[in-house]
Amino acid sequence: MPRGVLTLAGFECHSVNVTLFNFTLQRGTPIAEQLVHAALRAILRGEYLPEQPFPSVRAIAASLKIHPNTAHKAVQTLIEERWLEVRAGVGTVVTSRPRPRGGERGIIRDDVDRLALKARVNELSLADVTDELRSRWKQLEPAAKA
């Protein structure tokens, strides 16, 4: 069950206004993992552009009222996965979209297995699952330019 919607906006990062991502904190999933997913969603939607400053660990921790180590873990994961880069004198910035590593398709196999199992246990049809996947896929498309 959600603990509340966390909307974060308007932080200063190296004299540049940075808007933080929005997400609903869920119980049962590590907060750092939720932060990574929310950040990736924002990047894929174009809410963060390459070279744009990313919120600091301190800003994320203060905004969400979480331990800085938790925020650091999420940011470090995004750096390791090459979505963010630390630049001396600038801070953490969003990178150009990283190239997929070889064998990426196999990475989702376990997730798809879990999804299929959960859907079958809950007596959902394949159409229900594909409709939900299609809906979520569309949510990750870049936002329309104004």
Side-chain angles (χ1 to χ4, degrees):
M1 179 163 192
R3 288 174 32 194
V5 176
L6 301 174
T7 304
L8 313 168
F11 278 90
E12 292 292 322
C13 180
H14 304 287
S15 301
V16 177
N17 191 26
V18 175
T19 301
L20 297 175
F21 35 87
N22 299 320
F23 72 102
T24 302
L25 196 57
Q26 302 288 328
R27 290 184 185 198
T29 304
I31 294 171
E33 184 178 319
Q34 292 179 59
L35 283 169
V36 168
H37 288 209
L40 286 175
R41 219 176 279 116
I43 292 168
L44 289 173
R45 288 185 45 82
E47 295 169 19
Y48 284 100
L49 301 173
E51 308 299 317
Q52 181 178 355
F54 194 78
S56 69
V57 166
R58 184 178 293 170
I60 294 169
S63 300
L64 296 175
K65 296 181 174 106
I66 61 173
H67 197 281
N69 288 350
T70 302
H72 181 267
K73 184 176 181 179
V75 169
Q76 193 60 41
T77 298
L78 291 163
I79 291 168
E80 289 169 7
E81 292 179 1
R82 303 179 324 232
W83 290 97
L84 300 178
E85 180 178 280
V86 178
R87 295 192 183 154
V90 175
T92 305
V93 297
V94 177
T95 64
S96 298
R97 189 173 180 148
R99 289 186 177 168
R101 298 175 182 150
E104 289 291 322
R105 189 171 181 166
I107 287 176
I108 66 169
R109 188 166 289 123
D110 288 342
D111 292 327
V112 171
D113 284 344
R114 280 191 291 280
L115 174 62
L117 178 62
K118 194 167 199 164
R120 293 300 295 260
V121 164
N122 288 292
E123 299 180 353
L124 297 173
S125 70
L126 180 57
D128 293 333
V129 174
T130 55
D131 287 347
E132 186 64 25
L133 179 59
R134 188 174 290 109
S135 171
R136 298 296 177 142
W137 193 275
K138 286 181 182 178
Q139 291 176 10
L140 295 176
E141 291 176 356
K145 304 275 182 195

